[in-house]
């Protein structure tokens, strides 16, 4: 039996609650960083194929801005923070106070990539801190890797660990939107993918078998 076959709807409900708490902390940190309210919500926690996950990021050929990092410590996994070119450019313009900044024109901008990495550090730190508080597990992130590339290439890289145990992943999909702009179709996404071996540790820490 593959690991995804052992996950029940009850387990997914628990992961969704963890995702909601982590998203709340991350949204507060990002709102402080940008100086305006940012909403984060967890609409989906589900078992998906790798192809389905890429479709959730806009399709494998969709060019996105991504922050990727590994979770290390008493459980391991991967985290993706994926933004459209438009939304990432908007966030960085706000951070560096430069209205001319655009990832589409200057994808290799050192200042822009540095600002995005700092944003990734703050978001992942907030998310993992709440996850650690919830589970009492010692967790810490690796240094975020920044990429401007097709979603298929970015996600394939992060699925290496998960692919050793199957062809599906459990995705905690977090939508990110500036206040009042949820209907503009430019929402960011935050994917949390625990490694298959980490589920036993995670659920044991929560007193769930």
């Amino acid at each position: 039996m593959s690991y995804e076959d052992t996950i029940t709807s009850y387990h997914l409900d628990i992961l969704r609650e963890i995702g909601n708490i982590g998203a709340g902390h991350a949204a507060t940190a990002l709102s402080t960083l940008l100086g305006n309210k940012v909403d984060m919500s967890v609409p989906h926690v589900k078992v998906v194929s790798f192809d389905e996950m890429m479709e959730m990021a806009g399709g494998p050929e969709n060019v996105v801005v991504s922050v990727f990092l590994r979770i290390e410590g008493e459980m391991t996994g991967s985290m993706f923070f994926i933004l459209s070119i438009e939304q990432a450019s908007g966030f960085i313009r706000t951070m560096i106070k430069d209205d001319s900044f655009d990832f589409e024109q200057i994808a290799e901008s050192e200042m822009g990539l540095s600002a995005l990495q700092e944003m990734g550090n703050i978001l992942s730190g907030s998310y993992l801190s709440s996850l650690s508080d919830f589970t009492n597990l010692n967790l810490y992130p690796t240094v975020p890797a920044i990429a401007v590339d097709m979603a298929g290439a970015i996600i394939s890289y992060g699925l290496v660990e998960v692919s050793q145990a199957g062809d599906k992943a459990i995705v905690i999909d977090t939508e990110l939107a500036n206040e009042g702009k949820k209907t503009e179709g430019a929402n960011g996404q935050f994917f949390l993918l625990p490694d298959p071996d980490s589920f036993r540790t995670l659920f044991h820490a929560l007193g769930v078998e």
Side-chain angles (χ1 to χ4, degrees):
M1 180 181 291
S2 61
Y3 81 94
E4 62 262 23
D5 293 328
T6 67
I7 302 299
T8 67
S9 59
Y10 180 56
H11 291 138
L12 295 180
D13 285 343
I14 292 173
L15 293 175
R16 190 174 191 280
E17 180 62 19
I18 291 173
N20 272 323
I21 293 171
H25 285 245
T28 299
L30 189 58
S31 296
T32 302
L33 182 68
L34 298 176
N36 60 278
K37 184 172 173 56
V38 174
D39 293 324
M40 298 181 84
S41 59
V42 181
H44 306 295
V45 177
K46 54 187 178 181
V47 180
V48 299
S49 69
F50 294 172
D51 288 342
E52 288 172 321
M53 184 177 170
M54 291 179 189
E55 289 301 322
M56 292 170 71
E61 297 183 357
N62 184 38
V63 177
V64 296
V65 178
S66 169
V67 179
F68 169 77
L69 57 92
R70 288 283 299 163
I71 303 167
E72 303 289 351
E74 293 182 283
M75 65 166 276
T76 57
S78 299
M79 298 176 81
F80 294 96
F81 177 41
I82 294 176
L83 297 165
S84 68
I85 295 286
E86 177 188 13
Q87 191 174 34
S89 297
F91 281 159
I92 300 306
R93 281 196 290 269
T94 301
M95 286 180 67
I96 65 176
K97 303 185 187 312
D98 179 357
D99 291 340
S100 66
F101 181 84
D102 189 340
F103 267 112
E104 199 161 13
Q105 302 298 323
I106 45 176
E108 302 302 324
S109 164
E110 184 174 342
M111 179 178 291
L113 294 177
S114 177
L116 186 64
Q117 186 172 43
E118 178 61 18
M119 189 165 73
N121 269 325
I122 292 171
L123 283 174
S124 60
S126 301
Y127 207 108
L128 281 187
S129 176
S130 61
L131 178 58
S132 184
D133 290 344
F134 199 75
T135 61
N136 288 321
L137 295 173
N138 291 317
L139 306 172
Y140 51 90
T142 61
V143 176
I146 309 300
V148 181
D149 203 342
M150 289 188 291
I154 290 170
I155 292 175
S156 295
Y157 177 77
L159 289 174
V160 171
E161 294 292 334
V162 179
S163 65
Q164 294 176 10
D167 59 0
K168 294 182 178 178
I170 293 175
V171 176
I172 300 174
D173 176 19
T174 304
E175 286 188 352
L176 163 70
N178 284 318
E179 185 178 38
K181 296 183 178 180
K182 289 186 176 181
T183 60
E184 294 185 358
N187 292 343
Q189 289 174 302
F190 205 75
F191 292 153
L192 172 62
L193 289 85
D195 289 345
D197 290 344
S198 293
F199 283 104
R200 184 182 300 275
T201 302
L202 176 61
F203 290 128
H204 180 73
L206 296 171
V208 178
E209 300 296 339

